[in-house]
């Protein structure tokens, strides 16, 4: 599955001579890929491409498109008042998403200009979209380095980053002041931290065993002191930020906490510990609770503006509405709880029909994209013109997601590969829970699936790596011809995704084209209009 020498292969049997660690165990504890400073050159190239695509023409189209009407406005209000604001009544406004994503959008407006306040660009489009562009580009960087670590290959890592950079949905949301790009980036960053934590903890086990630790020894004598899991705590920070953008981060939080436990049990089984589950409970329960605590603390911290304000919606619900005494701190938390109950009721009862709503089963099929912007103003060299920003995943990429998930299950099961399970669970966490709301007939949109997109891309790259096969030097590896043909297939696939992205680029960016050119891109007819 690798396309360069992994750390485990580089060590070899001779390097373990004299070590008390069996070579098979040693290989399973080492990370899959060696450090290679040159890999950063390839990474930088892909990130520059992603950044340039997102920054060029960022201020077009003019004005607030789709839900920028809400989030760009609320980001500005947070910097003005500390809370979302209702100008007509000069009080705090009731909103149904936590504030962090809007604080981030507002930071861009504060730095680069906002509507009616000058700045670098007239009307502030660059200001309220720049944060999304930065986070979108950053997510490409994170995915490259994470995929490289997972697959032991710089080539596969860069392929993953390039595919994400060329995805139409990721691209459009990287150029719009909506919340989902922040949610996705924080979730991906948390996953990256957990992969680093897994490798770090295993490396510390290996160090302890090479120093003479016997994992089969009873009690504390068989368990090393592994130190502070900084990467795990970093993941908790990122998950807290994700929850502070949108509550839908909950499903990834649950899965990632389960991964922490599963990986800790797994490493103890690898080294031959007598009681892997019991030892995990003894050693890691405190850190797992710390993760939960950090997530909660970060989430509450995102509401600082509301806590410090007297004008936030329901900020003094007990005193003003119920005429009860508010205790310091406890009263504020009670009021925040009331706020959350009302927001949850809103989400649960959202049944209003929307032209661009869709159901979860339609998402990977691109059954109903969302038009963010549409205009027929010319000139375009024809009698009728069209300019649109359509939230549409790159079709070649998205229509390969379902086959890739099937391949992920096939190869992962046959190889008993933990990576396939982790990628698959992380992918479905952003889609499957929404089927419950389909039963409830809730209004939903395709961009709810964005947190799953990096993991769906990883599924595609996993299957491409399986088709290419392991390095020829690996025991039982394929003949060079198979590897050559697999590499050609993978390269052609990535090239086809790039061509498809280029074809749809005009309707991702609101470029003025003829109506005939626009209509030719409506592959599914009325479903895309």
């Amino acid at each position: 599955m690798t396309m360069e020498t992994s750390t485990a292969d580089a060590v070899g049997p001779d390097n373990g001579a004299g070590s008390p660690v069996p070579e098979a165990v040693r290989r399973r504890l080492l990370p899959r890929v060696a450090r290679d400073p040159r890999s950063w050159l390839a990474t930088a190239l892909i990130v520059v491409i992603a950044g340039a695509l997102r920054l060029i023409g960022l201020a077009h189209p003019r004005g607030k498109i789709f839900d920028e009407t809400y989030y760009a406005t609320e980001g500005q209000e947070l910097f003005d008042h500390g809370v979302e604001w209702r100008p007509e009544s000069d009080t705090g406004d009731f909103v149904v998403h936590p504030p962090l994503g809007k604080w981030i959008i507002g930071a861009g407006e504060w730095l680069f200009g906002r509507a009616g306040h000058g700045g670098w660009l007239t009307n502030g489009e660059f200001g309220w979209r720049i944060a999304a562009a930065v986070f979108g580009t950053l997510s490409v960087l994170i995915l490259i380095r994470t995929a490289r670590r997972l697959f032991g290959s710089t080539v596969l890592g860069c392929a993953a980053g390039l595919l994400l950079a060329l995805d139409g949905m990721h691209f459009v949301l990287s150029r719009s002041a909506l919340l989902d790009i922040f949610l996705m980036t924080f979730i991906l960053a948390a996953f990256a931290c957990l992969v680093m934590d897994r490798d770090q903890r295993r490396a510390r086990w290996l160090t302890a065993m090479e120093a003479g630790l016997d994992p089969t020894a009873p009690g504390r004598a068989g368990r090393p002191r592994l130190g502070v899991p900084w990467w795990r705590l970093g993941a908790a920070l990122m998950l807290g930020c994700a929850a502070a953008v949108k509550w839908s981060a909950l499903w990834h939080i649950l899965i990632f906490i389960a991964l922490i436990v599963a990986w800790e049990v797994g490493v103890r089984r690898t080294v031959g510990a007598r009681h892997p589950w019991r030892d995990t409970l003894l050693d890691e329960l405190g850190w797992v609770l710390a993760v939960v605590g950090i997530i909660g603390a970060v989430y509450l911290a995102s509401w600082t503006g509301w806590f410090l304000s007297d004008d936030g919606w329901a900020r003094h619900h007990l005193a003003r509405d119920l005429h009860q005494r508010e205790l310091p701190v406890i009263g504020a938390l009670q009021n925040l709880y009331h706020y959350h109950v009302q927001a949850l009721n809103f989400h649960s009862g959202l049944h209003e029909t929307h032209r661009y709503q869709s159901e979860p089963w339609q998402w990977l099929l691109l059954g109903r994209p969302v038009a963010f912007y549409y205009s027929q103003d010319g000139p375009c060299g024809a009698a009728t013109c069209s300019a649109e920003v359509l939230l549409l995943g790159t079709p070649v990429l998205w229509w390969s997601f379902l086959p890739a998930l099937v391949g992920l299950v096939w190869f992962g099961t046959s190889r008993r590969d933990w990576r396939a399970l982790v990628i698959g669970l992380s992918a479905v966490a952003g889609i499957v829970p929404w089927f419950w709301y389909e039963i409830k007939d809730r209004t939903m949109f395709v961009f709810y699936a964005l947190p799953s997109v990096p993991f769906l891309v990883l599924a595609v790259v996993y299957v491409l790596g399986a088709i290419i096969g392991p390095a020829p030097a690996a025991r039982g590896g394929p003949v060079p011809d198979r590897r050559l043909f697999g590499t050609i297939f993978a390269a052609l696939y990535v090239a086809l995704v790039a061509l498809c992205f280029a074809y749809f680029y005009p309707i991702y960016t609101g470029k003025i084209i003829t109506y005939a050119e626009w209509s030719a891109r409506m592959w599914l007819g009325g479903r895309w209009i």
Side-chain angles (χ1 to χ4, degrees), residues 212-285:
L213 176 78
D214 179 8
T216 64
R220 172 55 66 183
R223 309 198 319 266
R225 297 188 180 276
L226 298 174
V228 178
W230 293 111
W231 284 110
R232 186 180 306 174
L233 301 183
L237 176 64
M238 294 297 100
L239 289 173
C241 290
V245 174
K246 275 191 171 184
W247 290 352
S248 52
L250 172 65
W251 307 109
H252 283 96
I253 290 173
L254 296 176
I255 286 177
F256 289 173
I257 290 176
L259 285 181
I260 293 172
V261 176
W263 283 344
E264 289 295 340
V265 172
V267 70
R268 285 162 176 78
R269 284 178 172 169
T270 296
V271 301
R274 291 183 176 183
H275 305 287
W277 280 98
R278 186 196 68 183
D279 291 352
T280 297
L281 181 63
L282 292 173
D283 294 340
E284 307 300 332
L285 179 59

Side-chain angles (χ1 to χ4, degrees), residues 471-494:
R475 183 178 301 175
V479 295
D481 283 350
R482 175 193 155 181
R483 187 169 175 81
L484 174 62
F485 292 141
T487 302
I488 292 173
F489 174 83
L492 289 175
Y493 170 81
V494 174

Side-chain angles (χ1 to χ4, degrees), residues 8-183:
D9 293 333
V11 172
D14 292 340
N15 291 25
S19 170
V21 184
E23 185 59 28
V25 173
R26 181 184 180 82
R27 284 177 174 272
R28 295 184 66 182
L29 294 180
L30 285 168
R32 290 181 174 270
V33 64
R35 293 182 180 179
D36 182 4
R38 296 172 298 177
S39 69
W40 283 100
L41 295 177
T43 300
L45 176 62
I46 303 299
V47 172
V48 168
I49 292 172
L53 286 171
R54 282 150 180 77
L55 290 173
I56 294 174
L58 183 61
H60 179 78
R62 294 293 186 180
K64 293 174 180 176
I65 61 175
F66 198 61
D67 281 354
E68 286 185 342
T69 302
Y70 303 109
Y71 303 128
T73 302
E74 290 165 2
Q76 179 176 320
E77 291 169 349
L78 284 169
F79 270 76
D80 288 342
H81 305 283
V83 294
E84 297 88 346
W85 202 249
R86 186 180 297 173
E88 60 270 19
S89 60
D90 204 31
T91 59
D93 197 9
F94 172 68
V95 295
V96 295
H97 291 302
L100 181 57
K102 290 164 282 185
W103 276 111
I104 296 172
I105 293 170
E109 296 176 288
W110 179 72
L111 286 170
F112 297 104
R114 60 188 187 180
H117 288 73
W120 283 15
L121 298 171
T122 304
N123 294 327
E125 288 86 353
F126 184 91
W128 66 65
R129 293 174 187 157
I130 181 60
V134 170
F135 270 69
T137 304
L138 179 61
S139 68
V140 172
L141 170 62
I142 296 171
L143 186 64
I144 293 173
R145 303 311 295 182
T146 304
R148 179 180 181 271
R149 180 166 288 272
L150 282 173
F151 303 135
S153 168
T154 298
V155 173
L156 292 180
C158 288
L162 186 59
L163 291 175
L164 186 63
L166 298 178
D167 171 48
M169 180 178 292
H170 185 277
F171 176 72
V172 171
L173 289 172
S174 296
R175 292 166 55 89
S176 309
L178 273 69
L179 303 180
D180 303 85
I181 195 69
F182 309 119
L183 171 67

Side-chain angles (χ1 to χ4, degrees), residues 292-307:
V292 175
I294 290 173
I295 293 172
V298 171
Y299 181 81
L300 287 177
S302 73
W303 288 87
T304 298
W306 184 87
F307 281 119

Side-chain angles (χ1 to χ4, degrees), residues 406-421 462:
V406 173
L408 186 77
V409 173
W410 175 267
F411 288 115
T413 302
S414 62
R415 299 175 178 185
R416 301 184 66 182
D417 192 340
W418 64 269
R419 296 171 299 172
L421 177 62
Y462 181 94

